[in-house]
Amino acid sequence: MIQLSSLFLFLSRRRWAYGFLSFIFALSIMLSNAQPTRAIPWIELFIRGAQIYQLSSISDKQEVELGGEINQELIKSGQAKIYRNKEITRYVNQIGQRLAKTSARPDIPYTFQVVDDKNVNAFATMGGYVYVNTGLMLKAENEAELASVIGHEIGHIAGRHAIEQMRQRAISQGVLSAAGLERSQAVQIGVELAVNRRNSREDELEADGFGLDNLQKAGYAPSAMVSFMKKLLQQGNSIPTFLSTHPATSERIRLLQQNIDSKTANVGNGLNSKVYRNRIRSI
Ligand code: ZN
């Protein structure tokens, strides 16, 4: 099996080798596993020519492709109603691309979309797909506050959090085989996670760290990340979904403040709320 796994590593970068590898794996299971019931799905998958994702070693290209499929399904199923306003979409994409360039993961393509939803929320799937609700855009005081949320979502992608969550969900649903996760199952889990995602404390804090660093490197004033969270916290009972999970927002604010130099907190772009209001006036 050692030889087989190094063969897999060597060949896994080559697309043409996929079917061949599936066949080898299926054969190895047939030969080494006395229980024929375990071998059957492998062979079925091979015959059906199914695309299988090995989540623990998924390539950037595969991740982007999977993100694109999840995106299509989110839109097709009506679970993400894309706000079709070119001016607003262009504006959010412009902020997003500026951040992506200085992010912890600049080498994949990013797609930023606005969701027609008055709830204050934002989310990301995988492979560079980030979504911001119109409600969140209206709530932000300025461009830097909006950028702080987008930076946080890019942070989840940089940390590959959705992939790990997908892996865990697939294990708990019993759909992850040794060959990996079949494409349609992966898309289904990806959509579920996008709509109803509970990030762990570690993931949230890591995304905050990546986000703050990204915000500053892109030239935005870092104070915006704290001011936006404070504003949402002050709303009291209607804390938005993306902040409602642990760690508590107050803890996140405290940790962010520890990492912001008070002398340069307001140094940077994006604090002019008049300019921002003007840019988003058509919402
Ligand atoms: Zn988050």
Side-chain angles (χ1 to χ4, degrees), residues 17-50:
Y18 222 94
F20 172 66
L21 276 172
S22 305
F23 181 62
I24 294 289
F25 271 115
L27 262 184
S28 75
I29 288 295
M30 278 170 73
L31 297 174
S32 66
N33 198 325
Q35 294 170 295
T37 47
R38 283 200 61 190
I40 289 166
W42 292 59
I43 293 168
E44 269 181 16
L45 289 173
F46 171 65
I47 292 169
R48 277 160 41 203

mmCIF file of all heavy atoms in Angstrom, residues 17-50:
data_model
loop_
_atom_site.group_PDB
_atom_site.id
_atom_site.type_symbol
_atom_site.label_atom_id
_atom_site.label_comp_id
_atom_site.label_asym_id
_atom_site.label_seq_id
_atom_site.Cartn_x
_atom_site.Cartn_y
_atom_site.Cartn_z
ATOM 1 N N ALA A 17 -4.796 10.598 -15.267
ATOM 2 C CA ALA A 17 -4.504 9.417 -14.459
ATOM 3 C C ALA A 17 -5.671 9.041 -13.547
ATOM 4 O O ALA A 17 -5.667 7.993 -12.927
ATOM 5 C CB ALA A 17 -3.273 9.674 -13.623
ATOM 6 N N TYR A 18 -6.672 9.906 -13.488
ATOM 7 C CA TYR A 18 -7.736 9.702 -12.515
ATOM 8 C C TYR A 18 -8.473 8.367 -12.647
ATOM 9 O O TYR A 18 -8.604 7.607 -11.696
ATOM 10 C CB TYR A 18 -8.733 10.860 -12.570
ATOM 11 C CG TYR A 18 -9.117 11.247 -11.176
ATOM 12 C CD1 TYR A 18 -8.440 12.267 -10.505
ATOM 13 C CD2 TYR A 18 -10.101 10.533 -10.498
ATOM 14 C CE1 TYR A 18 -8.748 12.577 -9.203
ATOM 15 C CE2 TYR A 18 -10.410 10.832 -9.199
ATOM 16 C CZ TYR A 18 -9.742 11.854 -8.548
ATOM 17 O OH TYR A 18 -10.030 12.154 -7.277
ATOM 18 N N GLY A 19 -8.940 8.122 -13.871
ATOM 19 C CA GLY A 19 -9.682 6.891 -14.094
ATOM 20 C C GLY A 19 -8.824 5.676 -13.833
ATOM 21 O O GLY A 19 -9.245 4.720 -13.185
ATOM 22 N N PHE A 20 -7.583 5.765 -14.296
ATOM 23 C CA PHE A 20 -6.640 4.673 -14.109
ATOM 24 C C PHE A 20 -6.427 4.378 -12.623
ATOM 25 O O PHE A 20 -6.484 3.239 -12.172
ATOM 26 C CB PHE A 20 -5.316 5.060 -14.791
ATOM 27 C CG PHE A 20 -4.183 4.113 -14.507
ATOM 28 C CD1 PHE A 20 -4.208 2.803 -14.964
ATOM 29 C CD2 PHE A 20 -3.101 4.548 -13.765
ATOM 30 C CE1 PHE A 20 -3.157 1.935 -14.686
ATOM 31 C CE2 PHE A 20 -2.053 3.688 -13.478
ATOM 32 C CZ PHE A 20 -2.073 2.377 -13.941
ATOM 33 N N LEU A 21 -6.257 5.462 -11.847
ATOM 34 C CA LEU A 21 -6.036 5.303 -10.417
ATOM 35 C C LEU A 21 -7.240 4.688 -9.721
ATOM 36 O O LEU A 21 -7.106 3.817 -8.875
ATOM 37 C CB LEU A 21 -5.727 6.662 -9.793
ATOM 38 C CG LEU A 21 -4.265 7.069 -9.905
ATOM 39 C CD1 LEU A 21 -4.091 8.497 -9.453
ATOM 40 C CD2 LEU A 21 -3.389 6.144 -9.073
ATOM 41 N N SER A 22 -8.432 5.167 -10.114
ATOM 42 C CA SER A 22 -9.648 4.623 -9.503
ATOM 43 C C SER A 22 -9.693 3.122 -9.740
ATOM 44 O O SER A 22 -10.056 2.345 -8.865
ATOM 45 C CB SER A 22 -10.888 5.257 -10.111
ATOM 46 O OG SER A 22 -10.812 6.636 -10.010
ATOM 47 N N PHE A 23 -9.282 2.733 -10.959
ATOM 48 C CA PHE A 23 -9.305 1.324 -11.321
ATOM 49 C C PHE A 23 -8.316 0.537 -10.461
ATOM 50 O O PHE A 23 -8.623 -0.511 -9.908
ATOM 51 C CB PHE A 23 -8.985 1.185 -12.811
ATOM 52 C CG PHE A 23 -9.015 -0.240 -13.290
ATOM 53 C CD1 PHE A 23 -10.187 -0.980 -13.228
ATOM 54 C CD2 PHE A 23 -7.872 -0.837 -13.798
ATOM 55 C CE1 PHE A 23 -10.223 -2.290 -13.656
ATOM 56 C CE2 PHE A 23 -7.905 -2.153 -14.222
ATOM 57 C CZ PHE A 23 -9.078 -2.889 -14.154
ATOM 58 N N ILE A 24 -7.109 1.100 -10.309
ATOM 59 C CA ILE A 24 -6.076 0.436 -9.497
ATOM 60 C C ILE A 24 -6.560 0.285 -8.051
ATOM 61 O O ILE A 24 -6.447 -0.771 -7.443
ATOM 62 C CB ILE A 24 -4.760 1.267 -9.520
ATOM 63 C CG1 ILE A 24 -4.159 1.276 -10.925
ATOM 64 C CG2 ILE A 24 -3.755 0.736 -8.502
ATOM 65 C CD1 ILE A 24 -3.564 -0.040 -11.378
ATOM 66 N N PHE A 25 -7.158 1.366 -7.536
ATOM 67 C CA PHE A 25 -7.656 1.317 -6.163
ATOM 68 C C PHE A 25 -8.752 0.266 -6.013
ATOM 69 O O PHE A 25 -8.760 -0.507 -5.068
ATOM 70 C CB PHE A 25 -8.202 2.689 -5.748
ATOM 71 C CG PHE A 25 -7.150 3.572 -5.141
ATOM 72 C CD1 PHE A 25 -6.762 4.736 -5.775
ATOM 73 C CD2 PHE A 25 -6.560 3.230 -3.929
ATOM 74 C CE1 PHE A 25 -5.783 5.534 -5.225
ATOM 75 C CE2 PHE A 25 -5.585 4.025 -3.372
ATOM 76 C CZ PHE A 25 -5.188 5.188 -4.020
ATOM 77 N N ALA A 26 -9.642 0.277 -6.986
ATOM 78 C CA ALA A 26 -10.740 -0.690 -6.933
ATOM 79 C C ALA A 26 -10.184 -2.109 -6.952
ATOM 80 O O ALA A 26 -10.591 -2.966 -6.169
ATOM 81 C CB ALA A 26 -11.672 -0.480 -8.121
ATOM 82 N N LEU A 27 -9.200 -2.326 -7.808
ATOM 83 C CA LEU A 27 -8.574 -3.644 -7.901
ATOM 84 C C LEU A 27 -7.895 -4.026 -6.590
ATOM 85 O O LEU A 27 -8.046 -5.144 -6.096
ATOM 86 C CB LEU A 27 -7.517 -3.636 -9.007
ATOM 87 C CG LEU A 27 -7.922 -4.194 -10.366
ATOM 88 C CD1 LEU A 27 -6.713 -4.190 -11.281
ATOM 89 C CD2 LEU A 27 -8.473 -5.609 -10.233
ATOM 90 N N SER A 28 -7.180 -3.050 -6.012
ATOM 91 C CA SER A 28 -6.436 -3.341 -4.780
ATOM 92 C C SER A 28 -7.398 -3.698 -3.661
ATOM 93 O O SER A 28 -7.112 -4.556 -2.839
ATOM 94 C CB SER A 28 -5.548 -2.165 -4.386
ATOM 95 O OG SER A 28 -6.328 -1.135 -3.834
ATOM 96 N N ILE A 29 -8.538 -3.031 -3.636
ATOM 97 C CA ILE A 29 -9.541 -3.346 -2.617
ATOM 98 C C ILE A 29 -10.097 -4.744 -2.856
ATOM 99 O O ILE A 29 -10.239 -5.545 -1.942
ATOM 100 C CB ILE A 29 -10.675 -2.288 -2.622
ATOM 101 C CG1 ILE A 29 -10.164 -0.977 -2.034
ATOM 102 C CG2 ILE A 29 -11.892 -2.774 -1.858
ATOM 103 C CD1 ILE A 29 -9.786 -1.052 -0.556
ATOM 104 N N MET A 30 -10.365 -5.034 -4.139
ATOM 105 C CA MET A 30 -10.906 -6.350 -4.465
ATOM 106 C C MET A 30 -9.946 -7.455 -4.026
ATOM 107 O O MET A 30 -10.345 -8.479 -3.496
ATOM 108 C CB MET A 30 -11.117 -6.475 -5.981
ATOM 109 C CG MET A 30 -12.404 -5.866 -6.459
ATOM 110 S SD MET A 30 -12.411 -5.818 -8.249
ATOM 111 C CE MET A 30 -12.639 -7.546 -8.605
ATOM 112 N N LEU A 31 -8.659 -7.196 -4.256
ATOM 113 C CA LEU A 31 -7.670 -8.234 -3.976
ATOM 114 C C LEU A 31 -7.346 -8.325 -2.488
ATOM 115 O O LEU A 31 -7.042 -9.383 -1.973
ATOM 116 C CB LEU A 31 -6.380 -7.963 -4.771
ATOM 117 C CG LEU A 31 -6.555 -8.020 -6.289
ATOM 118 C CD1 LEU A 31 -5.266 -7.607 -6.973
ATOM 119 C CD2 LEU A 31 -6.970 -9.421 -6.749
ATOM 120 N N SER A 32 -7.383 -7.182 -1.802
ATOM 121 C CA SER A 32 -6.914 -7.197 -0.417
ATOM 122 C C SER A 32 -8.058 -7.265 0.595
ATOM 123 O O SER A 32 -7.846 -7.535 1.757
ATOM 124 C CB SER A 32 -6.063 -5.956 -0.141
ATOM 125 O OG SER A 32 -6.877 -4.807 -0.228
ATOM 126 N N ASN A 33 -9.259 -6.981 0.161
ATOM 127 C CA ASN A 33 -10.355 -6.942 1.115
ATOM 128 C C ASN A 33 -11.262 -8.155 0.931
ATOM 129 O O ASN A 33 -11.806 -8.385 -0.135
ATOM 130 C CB ASN A 33 -11.163 -5.647 0.901
ATOM 131 C CG ASN A 33 -12.014 -5.347 2.113
ATOM 132 O OD1 ASN A 33 -12.511 -6.271 2.760
ATOM 133 N ND2 ASN A 33 -12.160 -4.088 2.426
ATOM 134 N N ALA A 34 -11.408 -8.893 2.024
ATOM 135 C CA ALA A 34 -12.207 -10.113 1.935
ATOM 136 C C ALA A 34 -13.698 -9.815 1.860
ATOM 137 O O ALA A 34 -14.481 -10.656 1.449
ATOM 138 C CB ALA A 34 -11.920 -11.002 3.132
ATOM 139 N N GLN A 35 -14.075 -8.576 2.267
ATOM 140 C CA GLN A 35 -15.501 -8.258 2.261
ATOM 141 C C GLN A 35 -15.880 -7.612 0.935
ATOM 142 O O GLN A 35 -15.547 -6.448 0.700
ATOM 143 C CB GLN A 35 -15.829 -7.288 3.394
ATOM 144 C CG GLN A 35 -15.630 -7.905 4.756
ATOM 145 C CD GLN A 35 -15.729 -6.851 5.842
ATOM 146 O OE1 GLN A 35 -14.916 -5.942 5.921
ATOM 147 N NE2 GLN A 35 -16.750 -6.956 6.654
ATOM 148 N N PRO A 36 -16.559 -8.338 0.087
ATOM 149 C CA PRO A 36 -16.879 -7.797 -1.233
ATOM 150 C C PRO A 36 -17.805 -6.577 -1.170
ATOM 151 O O PRO A 36 -17.771 -5.748 -2.057
ATOM 152 C CB PRO A 36 -17.564 -8.962 -1.945
ATOM 153 C CG PRO A 36 -17.987 -9.902 -0.869
ATOM 154 C CD PRO A 36 -17.084 -9.695 0.281
ATOM 155 N N THR A 37 -18.578 -6.450 -0.098
ATOM 156 C CA THR A 37 -19.518 -5.320 -0.003
ATOM 157 C C THR A 37 -18.797 -3.981 -0.021
ATOM 158 O O THR A 37 -19.333 -2.992 -0.472
ATOM 159 C CB THR A 37 -20.355 -5.405 1.290
ATOM 160 O OG1 THR A 37 -19.466 -5.672 2.369
ATOM 161 C CG2 THR A 37 -21.416 -6.482 1.185
ATOM 162 N N ARG A 38 -17.563 -3.964 0.492
ATOM 163 C CA ARG A 38 -16.843 -2.691 0.521
ATOM 164 C C ARG A 38 -16.287 -2.335 -0.847
ATOM 165 O O ARG A 38 -16.070 -1.176 -1.141
ATOM 166 C CB ARG A 38 -15.710 -2.741 1.537
ATOM 167 C CG ARG A 38 -16.216 -2.590 2.957
ATOM 168 C CD ARG A 38 -15.098 -2.161 3.854
ATOM 169 N NE ARG A 38 -14.542 -0.878 3.474
ATOM 170 C CZ ARG A 38 -13.431 -0.386 3.991
ATOM 171 N NH1 ARG A 38 -12.743 -1.086 4.854
ATOM 172 N NH2 ARG A 38 -12.988 0.783 3.625
ATOM 173 N N ALA A 39 -16.042 -3.362 -1.649
ATOM 174 C CA ALA A 39 -15.433 -3.121 -2.955
ATOM 175 C C ALA A 39 -16.449 -2.621 -3.974
ATOM 176 O O ALA A 39 -16.100 -1.886 -4.874
ATOM 177 C CB ALA A 39 -14.780 -4.387 -3.454
ATOM 178 N N ILE A 40 -17.684 -2.998 -3.788
ATOM 179 C CA ILE A 40 -18.691 -2.694 -4.805
ATOM 180 C C ILE A 40 -18.840 -1.185 -5.105
ATOM 181 O O ILE A 40 -18.738 -0.795 -6.266
ATOM 182 C CB ILE A 40 -20.048 -3.343 -4.454
ATOM 183 C CG1 ILE A 40 -19.905 -4.869 -4.652
ATOM 184 C CG2 ILE A 40 -21.172 -2.822 -5.359
ATOM 185 C CD1 ILE A 40 -21.036 -5.668 -4.031
ATOM 186 N N PRO A 41 -18.990 -0.357 -4.082
ATOM 187 C CA PRO A 41 -19.163 1.067 -4.421
ATOM 188 C C PRO A 41 -17.995 1.638 -5.212
ATOM 189 O O PRO A 41 -18.192 2.477 -6.068
ATOM 190 C CB PRO A 41 -19.273 1.742 -3.061
ATOM 191 C CG PRO A 41 -19.592 0.673 -2.099
ATOM 192 C CD PRO A 41 -19.047 -0.602 -2.666
ATOM 193 N N TRP A 42 -16.796 1.151 -4.937
ATOM 194 C CA TRP A 42 -15.608 1.643 -5.648
ATOM 195 C C TRP A 42 -15.726 1.346 -7.138
ATOM 196 O O TRP A 42 -15.467 2.195 -7.975
ATOM 197 C CB TRP A 42 -14.365 0.917 -5.123
ATOM 198 C CG TRP A 42 -14.016 1.268 -3.721
ATOM 199 C CD1 TRP A 42 -14.798 1.107 -2.617
ATOM 200 C CD2 TRP A 42 -12.808 1.861 -3.284
ATOM 201 N NE1 TRP A 42 -14.135 1.549 -1.527
ATOM 202 C CE2 TRP A 42 -12.909 2.010 -1.899
ATOM 203 C CE3 TRP A 42 -11.639 2.246 -3.940
ATOM 204 C CZ2 TRP A 42 -11.885 2.552 -1.157
ATOM 205 C CZ3 TRP A 42 -10.616 2.776 -3.188
ATOM 206 C CH2 TRP A 42 -10.750 2.936 -1.814
ATOM 207 N N ILE A 43 -16.092 0.122 -7.409
ATOM 208 C CA ILE A 43 -16.205 -0.275 -8.812
ATOM 209 C C ILE A 43 -17.337 0.483 -9.483
ATOM 210 O O ILE A 43 -17.199 0.973 -10.603
ATOM 211 C CB ILE A 43 -16.408 -1.807 -8.918
ATOM 212 C CG1 ILE A 43 -15.130 -2.496 -8.441
ATOM 213 C CG2 ILE A 43 -16.749 -2.223 -10.339
ATOM 214 C CD1 ILE A 43 -15.271 -3.974 -8.225
ATOM 215 N N GLU A 44 -18.414 0.639 -8.748
ATOM 216 C CA GLU A 44 -19.546 1.406 -9.287
ATOM 217 C C GLU A 44 -19.118 2.822 -9.636
ATOM 218 O O GLU A 44 -19.422 3.339 -10.697
ATOM 219 C CB GLU A 44 -20.677 1.461 -8.254
ATOM 220 C CG GLU A 44 -21.651 0.323 -8.398
ATOM 221 C CD GLU A 44 -22.773 0.414 -7.384
ATOM 222 O OE1 GLU A 44 -22.956 1.499 -6.786
ATOM 223 O OE2 GLU A 44 -23.435 -0.604 -7.199
ATOM 224 N N LEU A 45 -18.385 3.414 -8.707
ATOM 225 C CA LEU A 45 -17.910 4.783 -8.932
ATOM 226 C C LEU A 45 -17.028 4.842 -10.168
ATOM 227 O O LEU A 45 -17.115 5.762 -10.975
ATOM 228 C CB LEU A 45 -17.127 5.289 -7.718
ATOM 229 C CG LEU A 45 -17.934 5.586 -6.465
ATOM 230 C CD1 LEU A 45 -17.013 5.914 -5.299
ATOM 231 C CD2 LEU A 45 -18.895 6.738 -6.699
ATOM 232 N N PHE A 46 -16.189 3.836 -10.297
ATOM 233 C CA PHE A 46 -15.277 3.799 -11.448
ATOM 234 C C PHE A 46 -16.065 3.663 -12.749
ATOM 235 O O PHE A 46 -15.828 4.386 -13.716
ATOM 236 C CB PHE A 46 -14.295 2.632 -11.278
ATOM 237 C CG PHE A 46 -13.462 2.388 -12.504
ATOM 238 C CD1 PHE A 46 -12.562 3.342 -12.941
ATOM 239 C CD2 PHE A 46 -13.607 1.213 -13.223
ATOM 240 C CE1 PHE A 46 -11.801 3.127 -14.071
ATOM 241 C CE2 PHE A 46 -12.850 0.997 -14.355
ATOM 242 C CZ PHE A 46 -11.944 1.948 -14.786
ATOM 243 N N ILE A 47 -17.037 2.741 -12.752
ATOM 244 C CA ILE A 47 -17.815 2.510 -13.966
ATOM 245 C C ILE A 47 -18.616 3.754 -14.335
ATOM 246 O O ILE A 47 -18.712 4.127 -15.494
ATOM 247 C CB ILE A 47 -18.748 1.278 -13.779
ATOM 248 C CG1 ILE A 47 -17.893 0.012 -13.694
ATOM 249 C CG2 ILE A 47 -19.751 1.161 -14.928
ATOM 250 C CD1 ILE A 47 -18.636 -1.222 -13.246
ATOM 251 N N ARG A 48 -19.156 4.401 -13.317
ATOM 252 C CA ARG A 48 -19.953 5.606 -13.583
ATOM 253 C C ARG A 48 -19.069 6.795 -13.963
ATOM 254 O O ARG A 48 -19.559 7.858 -14.332
ATOM 255 C CB ARG A 48 -20.782 5.974 -12.343
ATOM 256 C CG ARG A 48 -22.070 5.167 -12.272
ATOM 257 C CD ARG A 48 -22.661 5.140 -10.871
ATOM 258 N NE ARG A 48 -22.593 6.415 -10.195
ATOM 259 C CZ ARG A 48 -22.622 6.552 -8.876
ATOM 260 N NH1 ARG A 48 -22.691 5.503 -8.104
ATOM 261 N NH2 ARG A 48 -22.571 7.735 -8.324
ATOM 262 N N GLY A 49 -17.767 6.618 -13.844
ATOM 263 C CA GLY A 49 -16.845 7.712 -14.185
ATOM 264 C C GLY A 49 -17.010 8.904 -13.259
ATOM 265 O O GLY A 49 -16.833 10.054 -13.653
ATOM 266 N N ALA A 50 -17.362 8.614 -11.991
ATOM 267 C CA ALA A 50 -17.650 9.706 -11.054
ATOM 268 C C ALA A 50 -16.378 10.476 -10.696
ATOM 269 O O ALA A 50 -15.295 9.920 -10.624
ATOM 270 C CB ALA A 50 -18.270 9.132 -9.792
#
